[in-house]
């Protein structure tokens, strides 16, 4: 039986557009999905996940993700470092991947692929759609239309995996089992300038 951990922006913090600069200070102080500490290096260990969207109608706007790591994620020149982040999105709740987002920090490429991970559907702009400052934070956005999300029906499940340049190091999977879920309808209709939350909602199942 799979486990689904629901989280979404609280109603008072919906329709929010964070500044994508790799600094997660604006997300701090708000509830997040807290991932248990892993035994591997801290620069690949995700500790907090935040979500937000600025979708107001149809498929306009973006889904935003903020990630915090337990230590600075480092660069290639520092030796072993955070090489990539991959997210698998289940857009129809059938338990399989329908879209994959792949971020490679070594090549500075950020791409959307099909569910098999073999066909590139879109390449996003590094430094605009994705940002990090080699510190503990990562921020990126995905167009609602690219995930097939529509206002009022924008519910999606996903998992997150990090990999290191040293392939012998165990990557971090978030969550450790099951899925995370973004619930857009729970936050529709309230637009403010405050940072969003990503608090757990309801029991896992």
């Amino acid at each position: 039986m799979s486990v689904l951990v629901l989280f979404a922006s609280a109603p008072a913090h919906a329709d929010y557009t964070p500044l994508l600069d790799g600094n997660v200070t604006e997300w701090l102080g708000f509830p997040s999905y807290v991932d248990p500490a892993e035994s591997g290096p801290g620069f690949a260990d995700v500790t907090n996940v935040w979500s937000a969207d600025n979708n107001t109608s149809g498929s306009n706007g973006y889904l935003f993700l903020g990630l915090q790591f337990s230590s600075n994620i480092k660069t290639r020149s520092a030796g072993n470092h955070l090489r990539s982040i991959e997210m698998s999105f289940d857009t129809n709740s059938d338990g399989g991947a329908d879209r994959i987002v792949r971020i490679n920090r070594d090549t500075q490429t950020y791409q959307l692929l099909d569910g098999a991970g073999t066909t590139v559907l879109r390449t996003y702009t590094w430094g605009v759609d994705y940002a990090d400052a080699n510190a503990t934070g990562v921020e990126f956005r995905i167009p609602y239309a690219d995930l097939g999300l529509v206002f009022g029906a924008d519910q999606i499940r996903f998992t997150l995996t990090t990999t290191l340049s040293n392939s012998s190091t165990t990557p971090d999977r978030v969550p450790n089992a099951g899925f995370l879920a973004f619930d857009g309808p729970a936050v529709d209709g309230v637009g403010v300038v405050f940072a969003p939350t990503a608090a757990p909602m309801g029991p896992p199942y």
Side-chain angles (χ1 to χ4, degrees), residues 17-94:
T17 303
L19 173 65
L20 299 185
D21 60 0
N23 187 336
V24 296
T25 301
E26 63 188 310
W27 304 84
L28 299 178
F30 297 93
S32 64
Y33 171 73
V34 179
D35 193 58
E38 307 295 338
S39 59
F43 52 79
D45 180 20
V46 176
T47 57
N48 292 278
V49 181
W50 294 273
S51 64
D53 76 87
N54 62 0
N55 167 256
T56 56
S57 67
S59 292
N60 72 355
Y62 294 86
L63 173 66
F64 298 95
L65 280 301
L67 309 179
Q68 186 176 34
F69 293 78
S70 62
S71 67
N72 288 1
I73 56 180
K74 300 185 179 182
T75 62
R76 184 187 302 184
S77 62
N80 195 15
H81 60 280
L82 176 67
R83 181 178 62 191
S84 65
I85 300 167
E86 183 166 301
M87 297 184 70
S88 296
F89 289 91
D90 176 10
T91 62
N92 56 13
S93 299
D94 67 354

Side-chain angles (χ1 to χ4, degrees), residues 1-181:
M1 180 175 63
S2 64
V3 176
L4 178 64
V5 182
L6 295 176
F7 75 103
S9 303
H13 305 296
D15 301 330
Y16 175 73
T17 303
L19 173 65
L20 299 185
D21 60 0
N23 187 336
V24 296
T25 301
E26 63 188 310
W27 304 84
L28 299 178
F30 297 93
S32 64
Y33 171 73
V34 179
D35 193 58
E38 307 295 338
S39 59
F43 52 79
D45 180 20
V46 176
T47 57
N48 292 278
V49 181
W50 294 273
S51 64
D53 76 87
N54 62 0
N55 167 256
T56 56
S57 67
S59 292
N60 72 355
Y62 294 86
L63 173 66
F64 298 95
L65 280 301
L67 309 179
Q68 186 176 34
F69 293 78
S70 62
S71 67
N72 288 1
I73 56 180
K74 300 185 179 182
T75 62
R76 184 187 302 184
S77 62
N80 195 15
H81 60 280
L82 176 67
R83 181 178 62 191
S84 65
I85 300 167
E86 183 166 301
M87 297 184 70
S88 296
F89 289 91
D90 176 10
T91 62
N92 56 13
S93 299
D94 67 354
D98 301 297
R99 291 289 186 271
I100 292 175
V101 162
R102 188 171 292 156
I103 299 166
N104 188 314
R105 297 179 65 243
D106 284 358
T107 59
Q108 294 192 346
T109 53
Y110 173 22
Q111 297 177 319
L112 178 76
L113 298 91
D114 63 356
T118 57
T119 301
V120 176
L121 304 177
R122 187 182 293 269
T123 298
Y124 302 118
T125 303
W126 195 265
V128 175
D129 299 305
Y130 168 88
D132 72 58
N134 299 322
T136 61
V138 164
E139 298 175 293
F140 54 101
R141 66 184 186 181
I142 310 163
Y144 252 48
D146 288 356
L147 294 174
L149 297 178
V150 179
F151 182 83
D154 42 341
Q155 295 171 307
I156 192 167
R157 308 195 305 178
F158 62 90
T159 60
L160 163 70
T161 304
T162 64
T163 62
L164 293 81
S165 56
N166 183 344
S167 59
S168 64
T169 307
T170 303
D172 186 16
R173 183 191 190 277
V174 182
N176 288 338
F179 304 85
L180 294 179

